[in-house]
């Protein structure tokens, strides 16, 4: 049997845990002692956390979410005592298999999100669970940012940034994690805590861990005294390189504590836990100009790199001919790109970034001569227009969406990266294209950071087929030969992980590989921290534990399990996330197909509350998803499948009598408000106990009385049709008449006539039915809304204005098949048509605003902030704002969901006492009122107050 055959057979062996229904009791008990209340060992917990963004799958025995570094130390002791492997997981966005194992998985994202800005932004101290985006958001007010700028910045966390030595498009090797990390608080496998930033850190390391201290000093001298090792290090680390341990630490640093700190960078969780990291920040340049340079072929593009690098471009992104063909199919592609007949063309996407507009103008002027001297296929220039720049960057960033989203169902999308000296970029890319053709990877694209010699390429593979695994093996072997033959590195940014662990020795040679092995033995003598990652002598390690991707359902089959959706999910800290919802559906299919009825039933039972009942169906996951999946579509369908005929008929009847239904709800709330609080609270509690929490809403004291019935308003010369949302009928305003009267008053004050449809009292956007999968009721409402709005808008001549952002979004969906009727949110309408005509406002001193999931998806948050600025001297948008998860009735059915989703924002609001508090959706106002204790109103009510004549 050939090596390839043996490796393939090894890859197909299933390492599934047959005892998913019966977790290891003694181990779970010990973990519970170490981190009380933080251990999860249900089948759904273990299987959902088994998946990360890589193509590897190992099922942990338990998942633990510790509260602090002390509990992490206790978990490390349990690991050592029991001989059970332990792996740290934060964002789970790593692509190389470094965040999954079959021992104990420690989730460090939930309780480690602290961010402390130091020295007016010159430095920042961060815990491992904070995302890069969250850190940069905090730094933005100081004009600073982190040096590393990974493409996954919205979801990847500081723990992963340090563990993988992250870099990115603009930072190169000068501003990556290794170069900008100042200090860290490390928890070693022994449980010892080392603060490398302390003045006596080196002495403390010597005292607390003498063997480690002496061993690091010995290895430092061994490396430095070997000229071959030093030369190899200089060569490999002159380019982006995340293969193996950062042995450049032995050359760059002398004190053992500094060597230790920089060895941990890029160690992929195999040496220590990073409890806290302090970075030196870099200037954030808000002014930018971008251009797409089209060259006739790859040679002319790479030949132009020296001139472009000398011109000081911050980013130079390469897109090969296949990338350009893929990008041409994107509806958002620029006209110039769509018109191009791509033969061998290659593009370089370049950008200047500067601190001021004047400096940018100077750069752009200087670049004109540089661009004019390049062998371009067509003339090119730089644009600072935001819309143009966004379109150009969409070409580059949309590649992953296009290729991964269009892959055949059941296949896995692999995104790989390599780096070579820039002089070797042309032959490497040419030969890489030949490898795609030789091994049958049609449509594979090459793109990346050209000025760093760092390119990415994408493959789609089916790991359920032995012949495809053999193909993947052959390709990998050829690719390794190619890259190492061109003096490159097999991993530039994504980390060694499992995928390249068997090739570390070959890249570095025996001597440096043995130094790396000694580093691992020195710090983790029992080899329990993330085993199998970064170093592995098994030549088949990279095709072990491969993850298959079974076909499940059309809504989610495109999912690449990247985890970008998780930070924006309202239920992430309560139950589960979009990624985990999807992978559990895949695990159910695996269990069903394997005939494991007990596991299937267990997963289905646990899925109900975790994934269906507590999904806010807010669509925020789609805003972050690279392949544009709205997991809410899946949830809505599953909810619909669970509704019986009686429930469908009841809600259909309600749709046909919506006026009476909303007034009855309003009357009930008014009565509940009027009687002593224990009565409605007790009545709803009894109903929930009898009929279920997902059926009977929970009453709480902050709920208002009912609102007013919506009434028609004629206007012969109307400029718009006003569609007041029915939620304002059900839920009255906390003070004043409410948003309907406020909007009409603003329009009257500005001289902007609007009309309200005659049948408005019985109309709705359809969201109550859509969110529950009640298709019959949704269609019944649609049949009423469409003709009413056709008539009211004079056949679509007038826009329809809605005063609740979620209802605006819902009405757009309801009218999706109706051409000619345009729906606009009231905030956007006021911003453009009303605000310019209003009298000067008596602005309130300060206003806290809560954007919503719908305002985000509608793209009206800039309008929201402009209207807010017209109403208040100071406008505060909390940095930790997110979807409140009230989600129509979710906040009434499952108040714990809203409490969890709003906790970070509520804490942030507490730091900003304000005169007024506002949002743009009535139920979101209720949710934020409950969370903060401050009365939230619609933003237009505040604007009405400050522009009303004295």
């Amino acid at each position: 049997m050939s090596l390839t055959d043996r490796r393939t057979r090894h890859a197909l062996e299933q390492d599934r845990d047959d005892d998913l229904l019966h977790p290891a009791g003694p181990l779970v008990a010990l973990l519970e002692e170490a981190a009380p209340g933080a251990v999860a060992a249900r089948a759904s917990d273990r299987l959902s956390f088994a998946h990360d963004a890589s193509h590897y799958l190992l099922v942990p025995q338990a998942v633990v979410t510790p509260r602090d570094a002390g509990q992490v130390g206790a978990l490390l002791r349990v690991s050592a005592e029991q001989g059970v492997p332990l792996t740290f997981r934060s964002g789970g966005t790593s692509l190389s298999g470094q965040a999954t194992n079959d021992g104990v998985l420690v989730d460090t994202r939930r309780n480690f999100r602290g961010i402390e800005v130091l020295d007016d932004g010159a430095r920042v101290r961060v815990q491992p669970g904070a995302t890069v985006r969250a850190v940069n958001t905090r730094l933005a007010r100081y004009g600073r940012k982190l040096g590393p700028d990974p493409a996954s910045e919205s979801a990847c966390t500081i723990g992963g940034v340090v563990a993988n030595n992250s870099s990115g498009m603009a930072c190169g090797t000068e501003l990556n994690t290794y170069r900008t990390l100042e200090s860290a608080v490390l928890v070693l496998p022994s449980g010892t805590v080392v603060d490398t930033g302390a003045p006596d850190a080196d002495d403390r390391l010597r005292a607390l861990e003498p063997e480690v201290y002496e061993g690091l000093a010995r290895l430092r001298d061994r490396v430095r005294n070997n000229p071959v090792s030093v030369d190899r290090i200089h060569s490999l680390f002159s380019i982006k390189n995340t293969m193996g341990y950062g042995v450049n630490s032995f050359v760059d640093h002398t004190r053992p504590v500094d060597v230790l700190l920089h060895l941990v960078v890029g160690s992929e969780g195999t040496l220590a836990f990073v409890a806290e990291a302090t970075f030196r920040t870099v200037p954030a340049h808000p002014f930018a100009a971008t251009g797409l340079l089209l060259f006739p072929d790859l040679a002319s593009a790479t030949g132009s790199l020296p001139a472009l690098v000398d011109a000081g471009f911050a980013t130079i992104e390469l897109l090969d001919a296949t990338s350009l063909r893929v990008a041409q199919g994107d509806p958002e592609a620029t006209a110039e790109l769509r018109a191009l007949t791509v033969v061998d063309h290659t593009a370089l996407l370049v950008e200047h970034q500067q601190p001021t507009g004047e400096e940018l103008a100077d750069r752009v002027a200087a670049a004109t001569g540089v661009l004019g001297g390049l062998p371009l296929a067509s003339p090119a220039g730089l644009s600072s227009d935001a819309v143009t720049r966004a379109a150009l960057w969409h070409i580059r960033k949309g590649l992953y969406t296009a290729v991964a989203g269009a892959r055949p169902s059941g296949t896995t999308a692999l995104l790989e990266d390599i780096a070579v000296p820039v002089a070797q970029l042309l032959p490497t890319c040419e030969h890489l294209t030949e490898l795609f053709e030789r091994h049958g990877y049609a449509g594979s694209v090459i793109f990346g950071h050209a000025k760093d010699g760092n390119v990415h390429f994408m493959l789609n593979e089916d790991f359920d087929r032995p012949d495809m695994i053999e193909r993947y093996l052959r390709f990998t072997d050829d690719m390794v030969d190619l890259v190492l033959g061109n003096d490159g590195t097999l991993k530039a940014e994504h980390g060694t992980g499992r995928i390249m662990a068997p090739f570390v020795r070959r890249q570095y040679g025996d001597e440096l590989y043995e130094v790396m092995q000694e580093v691992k033995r020195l710090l983790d003598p029992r080899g329990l921290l993330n085993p199998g990652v970064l170093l592995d002598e098994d030549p088949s390690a990279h095709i072990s534990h491969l993850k298959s991707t079974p076909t499940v359902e059309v809504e989610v089959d495109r999912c690449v399990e990247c985890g970008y959706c998780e930070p924006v999910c309202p239920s992430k800290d309560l139950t589960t996330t979009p990624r985990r919802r999807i992978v559990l559906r895949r695990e159910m299919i695996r269990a069903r197909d394997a005939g494991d009825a007990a596991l299937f039933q267990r997963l289905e039972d646990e899925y109900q509350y975790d994934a269906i009942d507590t999904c806010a169906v807010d669509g925020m996951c789609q805003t972050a998803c690279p392949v544009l999946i709205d997991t809410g579509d899946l949830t809505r369908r599953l909810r619909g499948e669970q509704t019986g005929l009686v429930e469908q008929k009841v809600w259909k009847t309600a749709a046909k009598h919506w006026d009476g239904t909303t007034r009855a709800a309003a009357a009930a709330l008014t009565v509940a408000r009027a009687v002593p609080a224990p009565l409605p609270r007790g009545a709803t509690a009894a109903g929930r106990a009898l009929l279920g929490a997902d059926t009977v809403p929970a009453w709480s004291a902050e709920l208002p009385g009912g609102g007013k019935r919506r009434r028609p308003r004629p206007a012969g010369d109307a400029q718009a049709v006003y569609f007041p949302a029915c939620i304002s009928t059900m839920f009255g305003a906390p003070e004043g008449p409410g948003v309907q009267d406020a909007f009409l008053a603003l329009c009257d004050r500005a001289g902007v006539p609007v009309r309200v449809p005659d049948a408005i009292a019985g109309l709705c956007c359809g969201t109550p039915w859509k969110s529950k999968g009640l298709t019959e009721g949704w269609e019944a409402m649609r049949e009423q809304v469409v003709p009413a709005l056709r008539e009211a808008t004079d056949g679509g001549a007038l826009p329809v204005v809605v005063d609740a952002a979620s209802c605006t979004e819902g009405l757009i969906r309801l009218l999706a098949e109706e051409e000619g009727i345009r729906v606009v949110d009231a905030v956007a309408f006021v911003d453009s048509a009303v605000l310019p005509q209003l009298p000067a406002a008596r602005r309130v001193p300060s206003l806290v605003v809560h954007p919503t999931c719908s305002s985000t998806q509608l793209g009206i948050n800039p309008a929201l902030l402009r209207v807010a600025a017209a109403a208040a001297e100071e406008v505060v948008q909390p940095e930790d704002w997110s979807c409140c998860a009230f989600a129509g009735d979710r906040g009434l059915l499952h108040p714990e969901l809203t409490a969890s989703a709003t906790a970070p924002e509520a804490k942030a609001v507490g730091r900003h006492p304000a005169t007024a508090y506002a949002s743009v959706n009535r139920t979101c106002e209720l949710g934020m009122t409950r969370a903060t204790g401050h009365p939230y109103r619609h933003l237009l009510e505040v604007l009405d107050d400050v522009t009303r004549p004295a």
Side-chain angles (χ1 to χ4, degrees):
M1 182 183 291
S2 69
L3 175 61
T4 297
D5 290 338
R6 289 198 302 272
R7 292 154 85 191
T8 302
R9 186 180 67 178
H10 185 46
L12 290 172
E13 292 174 353
Q14 294 298 308
D15 295 304
R16 303 285 293 181
D17 185 346
D18 294 328
D19 203 23
L20 280 164
L21 301 181
H22 304 94
L27 174 63
V28 171
L30 291 169
L31 295 171
E32 184 67 32
E33 288 180 17
V39 182
R42 300 177 307 164
S44 56
D45 298 318
R46 296 163 63 192
L47 285 171
S48 64
F49 271 97
H51 294 250
D52 70 351
S54 75
H55 53 285
Y56 296 97
L57 181 71
L58 290 92
V59 181
Q61 297 178 49
V63 179
V64 189
T65 308
R67 288 194 303 271
D68 52 40
Q71 289 191 349
V72 171
L75 291 171
L76 287 168
R77 287 190 289 275
V78 172
S79 168
E81 292 165 2
Q82 299 299 309
V84 177
L86 185 147
T87 291
F88 298 110
R89 160 83 70 84
S90 192
T93 59
S94 297
L95 297 166
S96 300
Q98 54 266 66
T100 182
N101 85 14
D102 55 5
V104 176
L105 193 66
V106 180
D107 177 7
T108 63
R109 177 167 60 182
R110 185 178 301 181
N111 298 320
F112 292 86
R113 296 177 186 155
I115 302 170
E116 182 182 2
V117 177
L118 307 170
D119 301 335
D120 290 328
R123 299 185 302 135
V124 63
R125 182 179 296 131
V126 193
Q127 290 184 315
T131 65
V132 171
R133 176 171 292 182
V135 178
N136 284 338
T137 298
R138 296 287 179 87
L139 290 170
R141 70 177 68 175
Y142 303 96
R144 310 288 292 182
K145 66 175 184 176
L146 292 173
D149 58 335
S152 57
E153 53 85 29
S154 65
C156 71
T157 64
I158 294 302
V161 165
V162 175
N164 293 320
N165 187 20
S166 293
S167 51
M169 291 187 185
C171 74
T173 57
E174 298 81 13
L175 300 176
N176 62 11
T177 307
Y178 181 89
R179 298 295 178 190
T180 59
L181 183 66
E182 179 181 273
S183 66
V185 175
L186 307 176
V187 183
L188 302 184
S190 62
T192 298
V193 178
V194 179
D195 180 357
T196 70
D200 61 345
D202 199 59
D203 292 336
R204 284 183 58 79
L205 180 63
R206 180 192 288 116
L208 294 172
E209 295 280 354
E211 291 185 13
V212 170
Y213 188 93
E214 293 168 7
L216 291 173
R218 183 177 65 254
L219 289 173
R220 175 200 62 202
D221 296 341
R222 173 179 172 178
V223 170
R224 289 183 174 185
N225 292 330
N226 187 322
V228 176
S229 292
V230 172
D231 288 346
R232 188 66 180 146
I233 287 171
H234 284 154
S235 173
L236 282 172
F237 289 94
S238 66
I239 58 178
K240 286 184 178 181
N241 175 28
T242 59
M243 275 286 280
Y245 288 120
V247 288
N248 52 331
S249 305
F250 293 117
V251 175
D252 297 337
H253 301 278
T254 298
R255 295 194 312 164
V257 73
D258 297 324
V259 173
L260 172 62
L261 171 66
H262 290 87
L263 279 171
V264 168
V265 176
S267 65
E268 302 177 22
T270 63
L271 300 180
F273 170 60
V274 180
E276 190 175 86
T278 301
F279 289 86
R280 295 179 294 273
T281 64
V282 302
H285 294 158
F287 296 89
T290 312
L292 185 68
L293 314 182
L294 290 169
F295 295 87
D297 51 41
L298 185 61
S300 56
T302 55
S304 300
L305 287 174
L308 294 171
V309 171
D310 290 344
F313 282 99
T315 59
I316 307 174
E317 294 292 295
L318 180 143
L319 297 88
D320 73 347
T322 304
S323 297
L324 294 177
R325 294 188 191 98
V326 169
Q328 285 180 316
D330 191 315
E332 298 184 37
T334 63
E336 293 81 1
L337 180 58
R338 288 197 300 270
L340 180 69
T341 301
V342 178
V343 183
D344 297 318
H345 293 78
T346 299
L348 294 177
L349 182 64
V350 298
E351 183 169 277
H352 274 310
Q353 300 170 358
Q354 293 297 315
T356 68
E358 292 77 12
E359 289 172 279
L360 179 65
D362 291 342
R363 283 284 193 178
V364 171
T368 302
V370 176
L371 300 185
L374 299 179
L376 297 172
S378 60
L382 303 177
S383 174
S384 58
D385 176 70
V387 175
T388 302
R389 290 185 56 245
L392 292 175
W393 275 111
H394 182 79
I395 294 172
R396 160 67 173 84
K397 295 181 178 180
L399 285 174
Y400 187 82
T401 301
V403 177
R407 75 188 191 282
S409 179
T411 62
T412 298
L414 307 179
L415 178 60
E416 300 301 337
D417 79 313
I418 57 171
V420 294
V422 174
Q424 300 299 319
L425 186 59
L426 173 61
T428 300
C429 290
E430 288 177 335
H431 292 148
L432 194 56
T433 301
E434 293 174 6
L435 291 183
F436 295 155
E437 295 174 359
R438 182 188 310 167
H439 295 287
Y441 288 114
S444 294
V445 298
I446 298 175
F447 58 93
H449 320 314
K451 71 187 180 80
D452 300 313
N454 172 203
V455 294
H456 304 277
F457 58 90
M458 289 188 64
L459 309 174
N460 291 328
E461 191 55 276
D462 184 349
F463 287 127
D464 282 331
R465 293 175 52 185
D467 58 323
M468 294 296 97
I469 295 177
E470 290 180 10
R471 175 178 72 164
Y472 175 69
L473 275 170
R474 291 191 298 270
F475 169 82
T476 299
D477 290 341
D478 287 349
M479 184 270 293
V480 169
D481 290 342
L482 168 64
V483 175
L484 298 185
N486 284 324
D487 298 321
T489 175
L490 297 169
K491 279 296 168 189
E493 295 184 319
H494 297 171
T496 311
R498 298 177 183 278
I499 192 171
M500 285 296 153
F503 302 99
V504 175
R505 181 189 291 272
R506 183 173 169 190
Q507 177 167 312
Y508 281 90
D510 290 340
E511 168 61 15
L512 284 176
Y513 188 76
E514 289 171 9
V515 168
M516 293 182 188
Q517 289 179 310
E518 183 60 25
V519 167
K520 176 66 171 174
R521 285 192 293 267
L522 194 61
L523 286 157
D524 182 23
R526 300 193 63 181
L528 295 174
L529 265 190
N530 222 8
V533 168
L534 200 140
L535 301 179
D536 200 320
E537 290 290 282
D538 180 359
S540 302
H542 61 307
I543 54 165
S544 301
H545 313 292
L546 293 175
K547 176 172 63 182
S548 63
T549 309
T551 297
V552 179
E553 43 226 340
V554 66
E555 295 97 334
V556 298
D557 277 342
R558 313 192 292 286
C559 178
V560 294
E561 302 180 13
C562 65
Y564 285 20
C565 55
E566 294 191 331
V568 299
C569 179
S571 61
K572 63 180 179 292
D573 292 335
L574 178 68
T575 50
T576 191
T577 65
R579 169 167 61 181
R580 291 167 60 200
R581 285 181 171 92
I582 290 170
V583 301
L584 284 173
R585 297 293 292 176
R586 289 173 172 167
E587 291 296 345
M588 288 182 202
I589 294 301
R590 283 198 185 96
R592 185 198 66 189
D593 292 348
D596 193 339
L599 177 58
F600 178 84
Q601 188 61 53
R602 178 71 61 85
L603 292 175
E604 191 171 58
D605 290 345
E606 294 171 352
Y607 197 83
Q608 182 63 46
Y609 176 75
D610 289 359
I612 299 178
D613 293 350
T614 55
C615 178
V617 295
D618 63 342
M620 287 297 286
C621 48
Q622 187 177 43
T623 69
C625 177
V627 292
L628 306 177
I629 294 173
D630 180 356
T631 318
D633 290 339
L634 170 64
T635 302
R636 281 184 282 265
R637 180 173 61 76
L638 295 176
R639 287 176 182 170
E641 291 174 357
Q642 292 178 354
T643 58
L645 291 176
V646 173
E647 188 176 357
Q648 286 277 6
K649 296 301 180 186
V650 167
W651 277 89
K652 182 177 181 180
T653 300
K656 293 181 177 180
H657 302 88
W658 197 237
D659 182 14
T661 301
T662 55
R663 282 192 287 162
L669 282 168
T670 299
V671 170
R673 188 75 178 169
V675 301
L679 291 178
R681 184 180 292 116
T684 57
R688 288 164 67 82
L690 179 64
L691 301 174
D694 208 53
T695 302
V696 179
W699 187 87
S700 53
E702 84 285 346
L703 290 176
K708 298 190 301 184
R709 183 173 184 251
R710 297 171 293 167
R711 299 188 180 280
R713 170 170 163 153
D717 58 345
Q719 294 184 22
V721 172
Y722 177 37
F723 192 97
C726 58
I727 53 174
S728 294
T729 295
M730 289 185 274
F731 299 104
E735 58 183 82
V739 65
Q740 181 174 352
D741 287 0
F743 176 76
L744 292 173
L746 288 168
C747 289
D748 290 344
R749 201 168 297 143
V752 178
V754 297
R755 73 170 61 126
V756 179
D758 291 340
I760 188 61
L763 302 181
C764 178
C765 67
T767 298
W769 296 269
K770 188 76 171 178
S771 65
K772 297 176 181 294
L774 297 163
T775 54
E776 292 183 18
W778 185 83
E779 187 59 37
M781 180 55 70
R782 185 179 180 279
E783 290 174 357
Q784 298 172 75
V785 170
V786 170
L789 290 184
R790 278 279 176 213
E791 179 181 356
T793 61
D794 298 334
L798 301 177
V800 178
V801 181
V802 187
D803 62 14
S806 66
C807 301
T808 306
E809 190 181 12
L811 191 60
I812 289 172
R813 289 185 177 183
L814 194 76
L815 301 174
E817 297 179 4
E818 295 299 315
E819 295 184 5
I821 301 180
R822 184 167 65 94
V823 180
V824 183
D825 189 80
V827 170
F829 182 78
V830 166
D831 175 53
S832 61
V834 176
L835 196 58
Q837 310 303 322
L838 289 176
R842 304 177 305 281
R843 296 191 293 175
V844 298
S846 57
L847 173 66
V848 169
V849 295
H850 169 71
T852 72
C853 51
S854 292
S855 69
T856 301
Q857 293 174 80
L858 291 167
I860 64 169
N861 286 343
L864 182 159
L865 293 175
R866 286 192 295 268
V867 173
E873 299 286 348
E874 178 192 15
V875 176
V876 176
Q877 177 182 295
E879 292 164 336
D880 290 322
W881 85 267
S882 62
C883 171
C884 70
F886 208 92
D889 62 1
R890 284 297 107 180
L892 299 175
L893 296 171
H894 296 287
E896 70 277 14
L897 174 61
T898 296
S900 176
T902 56
E905 184 175 357
K907 187 176 180 180
V909 170
R911 296 192 294 265
H912 297 286
T915 311
Y917 301 82
S919 189
V920 290
N921 205 79
R922 188 70 192 100
T923 52
C924 299
E925 294 151 26
L926 295 175
M928 291 309 301
T929 297
R930 175 189 289 172
T932 66
H934 297 294
Y936 276 71
R937 307 163 65 199
H938 196 288
L939 177 60
L940 298 185
E941 295 178 60
V942 180
L943 183 64
D944 176 39
D945 285 350
V946 300
T947 58
R948 188 181 300 135

